[in-house]
C-alpha cells in the first residue's frame, strides 16, 4: 500500500494562480491540497483546523501578510513546515521569513517540477530555498560570522590604559608606582589589573606579562 | 461540442504552468501552445487561428508582453487578448471591434461598453478621501 499523501494548505490571494497550483499539486500521487486560504489570518485559522503537513504561503497578501502569519503559526505549531512562495526576492523579506521559522523561500519564477522537488525536500526536513537566494543566505551568514569574529577577539583585547598598566607591571612596578606613573588612583590600577588577568586568562602579573608578550601585545 | 481554441503565450514559470493546468482541465477549451513571448509570435498566430490569446506577464509592467499584446491587437483586431500577471489579482480583456460609422451604432456601443457612472454625491466623497 502506498504512503498517505502529504497534506498541503495553500495560502495565496491570487485566486487564479492558487487554482492552477492546486491542480499541479493534486496531480501528484504523494501530495494533496487539503485547504486554501486567501490571507495570513485565514491561514492561521485553517492551520489550526486542518493541521496540514506543509503550508505553502505567499508573502504579500492583504491584511495579515505571510511573514507575520508564519511567525504566529510557528509560535502556536512549532512543528509545522511552512514554505514561502513569492514574486519578491528582497533580502529583507527572505531573512525575516527564515527568522520567523519558514523552512523554505521560493520564487514564483520557479518551474513546477522545481517546486515539487523543493516541497518534497521540505517535507523530509530539508531547507527549500531557490538556488540564487540560497547564495544570498550563505553570504549573509558569512557576513554575520565575520561581523561577530572581531567582537570575540575584542573581548580578549586590552584597552589602551590596560596596556599601559601591563607594560608597567611587566617592568616590575607596584600598583602604587603604576598609579603615580599614570596619574590614576590605586583602586583604578587594581581594577585594570583584575581586568587584564581576566582577559588574558591568567592568575598573576608575571603570567600576564608572559601571555601579553606571546600575543604580541607588548 | 465546439471548443474555444485558446493560445497561451507566456514565459516558462509557475504562474504560466498554473494557467496551463486550469485551461487543460477546462471543458470546452482546446489549449494551443504555450508559446514564448517573442516578436515572431505575432506573425505565427494566423497559422493556428485561435479564438482567444492569453498573454501571461511577469508583472503589470512587463514591457515585452505588453508590446506583444498590442502588436496582436493591431494585426488581428477581431482577436481578443487576455492579459494576466501575478502581481494583480485580475486579468484584463482587450478586444477591438469595427462598426459602421453610424450614429445609431455609436450610441449602442457607448451603452454597451460604458463603465457604470458614479453618482455625483459619491464622487464628491471619493474626492475627499
Amino acid at each position: 500500500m502506498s504512503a498517505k499523501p502529504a497534506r498541503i494548505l495553500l495560502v495565496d490571494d491570487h485566486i487564479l494562480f492558487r487554482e492552477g497550483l492546486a491542480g499541479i499539486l493534486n496531480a501528484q500521487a504523494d501530495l494533496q491540497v487539503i485547504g486554501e486560504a486567501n490571507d495570513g489570518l485565514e491561514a492561521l485559522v485553517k492551520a489550526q483546523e486542518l493541521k496540514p503537513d506543509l503550508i505553502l504561503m505567499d508573502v504579500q497578501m492583504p491584511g495579515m501578510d505571510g511573514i507575520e502569519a508564519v511567525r504566529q503559526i510557528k509560535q502556536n505549531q512549532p512543528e509545522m513546515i511552512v514554505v514561502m512562495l513569492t514574486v519578491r526576492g528582497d533580502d529583507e523579506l527572505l531573512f525575516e521569513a527564515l527568522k520567523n521559522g519558514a523552512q523554505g523561500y521560493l520564487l514564483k519564477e520557479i518551474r513546477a517540477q522545481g517546486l515539487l522537488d523543493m516541497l518534497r525536500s521540505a517535507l523530509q526536513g530539508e531547507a527549500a530555498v531557490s538556488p540564487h537566494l540560497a547564495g544570498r543566505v550563505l553570504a549573509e551568514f558569512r557576513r554575520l560570522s565575520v561581523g561577530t569574529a572581531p567582537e570575540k577577539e575584542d573581548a580578549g583585547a586590552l584597552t589602551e590604559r590596560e596596556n599601559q598598566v601591563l607594560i608597567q607591571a611587566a617592568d616590575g612596578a607596584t600598583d602604587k608606582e603604576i598609579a603615580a606613573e599614570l596619574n590614576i588612583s590605586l583602586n583604578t590600577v587594581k581594577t585594570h589589573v583584575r581586568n587584564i588577568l581576566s582577559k588574558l586568562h591568567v592568575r598573576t602579573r608575571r603570567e600576564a606579562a608572559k601571555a601579553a608578550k606571546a600575543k604580541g601585545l607588548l | 461540442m465546439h471548443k474555444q481554441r485558446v493560445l497561451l503565450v507566456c514565459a516558462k514559470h509557475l504562474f504560466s504552468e498554473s494557467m496551463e493546468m486550469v485551461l487543460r482541465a477546462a471543458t470546452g477549451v482546446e489549449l494551443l501552445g504555450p508559446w514564448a513571448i517573442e516578436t515572431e509570435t505575432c506573425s505565427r498566430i494566423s497559422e493556428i487561428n485561435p479564438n482567444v490569446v492569453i498573454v501571461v506577464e511577469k508583472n503589470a509592467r512587463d514591457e515585452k508582453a505588453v508590446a506583444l499584446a498590442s502588436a496582436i491587437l493591431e494585426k488581428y483586431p477581431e482577436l481578443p487578448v487576455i492579459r494576466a500577471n501575478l502581481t494583480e489579482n485580475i486579468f484584463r480583456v482587450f478586444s477591438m471591434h469595427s462598426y459602421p460609422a453610424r450614429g445609431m451604432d455609436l450610441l449602442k456601443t457607448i451603452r454597451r461598453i460604458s463603465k457604470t457612472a458614479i453618482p455625483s454625491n459619491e464622487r464628491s466623497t471619493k474626492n475627499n478621501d
Side-chain angles (χ1 to χ4, degrees), chain A residues 13-17 19-21 23-24 85 87 108-112 115, chain B residues 12-15 17-19 21-22 58 84-91:
Chain A
D13 61 316
H14 199 299
I15 301 160
L16 182 59
F17 174 66
E19 212 177 309
L21 188 54
I24 290 171
L85 181 62
V87 284
K108 285 178 179 171
E109 64 190 38
I110 196 173
R111 300 287 300 273
L115 173 76
Chain B
K12 276 283 176 195
H13 49 64
L14 196 55
F15 183 40
E17 287 173 292
S18 301
M19 291 276 282
M21 175 59 78
V22 170
K58 270 192 247 169
N85 67 67
L86 256 182
T87 50
E88 295 172 308
N89 198 0
I90 54 168
F91 53 81

Side-chain angles (χ1 to χ4, degrees), chain A residues 6-216:
Chain A
R7 304 162 73 248
I8 297 175
L9 172 63
L10 274 188
V11 186
D12 201 304
D13 61 316
H14 199 299
I15 301 160
L16 182 59
F17 174 66
R18 209 172 65 208
E19 212 177 309
L21 188 54
I24 290 171
L25 297 175
N26 284 330
Q28 310 303 308
D30 58 338
L31 304 173
Q32 183 192 6
V33 176
I34 52 151
E36 297 181 22
N38 210 39
D39 58 36
L41 198 59
E42 202 181 341
L44 289 185
V45 175
K46 292 211 168 160
Q48 286 280 359
E49 262 177 28
L50 304 170
K51 304 207 174 353
D53 298 312
L54 183 144
I55 301 176
L56 190 54
M57 174 116 66
D58 188 13
V59 169
Q60 285 184 302
M61 292 179 287
M64 184 188 289
D65 66 14
I67 303 288
E68 176 57 18
V70 68
R71 192 186 68 77
Q72 292 201 28
I73 287 170
K74 291 296 282 188
Q75 213 167 42
N76 300 329
Q77 298 163 277
E79 71 294 344
M80 187 68 68
I81 298 170
V82 184
V83 175
M84 313 308 289
L85 181 62
T86 176
V87 284
R88 294 186 56 184
D90 315 27
D91 285 357
E92 198 187 329
L93 294 174
L94 164 68
F95 298 132
E96 194 66 17
L98 296 179
K99 199 176 78 184
N100 285 358
Q103 191 161 323
Y105 197 98
L106 303 171
L107 295 179
K108 285 178 179 171
E109 64 190 38
I110 196 173
R111 300 287 300 273
Q113 191 53 55
L115 173 76
L116 296 171
D117 292 343
M118 287 287 188
L119 294 183
R120 288 178 180 123
S121 299
L123 285 161
Q124 298 298 317
E126 293 168 17
V129 179
S130 291
H132 76 276
L133 295 182
R136 282 199 236 155
V137 173
L138 288 177
E140 178 67 3
F141 177 76
R142 273 197 296 272
R143 192 186 67 77
L144 290 173
S145 305
V146 170
T148 52
E151 216 172 276
K152 281 182 192 162
E153 281 171 19
D154 284 342
L158 303 181
T159 64
E160 196 182 342
R161 185 58 101 186
E162 286 165 350
N163 262 327
Q164 290 167 345
V165 170
L166 184 58
I167 289 166
Q168 298 286 325
D171 284 340
T174 63
D175 285 357
K176 262 188 190 176
E177 288 167 342
I178 296 170
E181 179 68 28
L182 299 178
N183 200 23
I184 53 177
S185 75
L186 190 60
N187 276 337
T188 306
V189 174
K190 286 182 188 299
T191 304
H192 284 315
V193 171
R194 265 200 310 276
N195 290 341
I196 291 166
L197 298 181
S198 162
K199 283 182 177 179
L200 296 177
H201 307 291
V202 292
R203 284 178 300 175
T204 64
R205 291 157 176 254
R206 188 176 292 171
E207 286 176 359
K210 219 171 148 184
K213 274 180 191 160
K215 288 186 175 186

Side-chain angles (χ1 to χ4, degrees), chain B residues 107-126:
Chain B
L107 293 172
K108 210 158 65 177
T109 305
I110 289 169
R111 278 196 291 273
R112 192 171 59 81
I113 66 169
S114 286
K115 70 172 187 178
T116 313
I118 303 170
S120 57
N121 56 339
E122 277 185 36
R123 211 163 32 222
S124 61
T125 313
K126 279 185 188 296

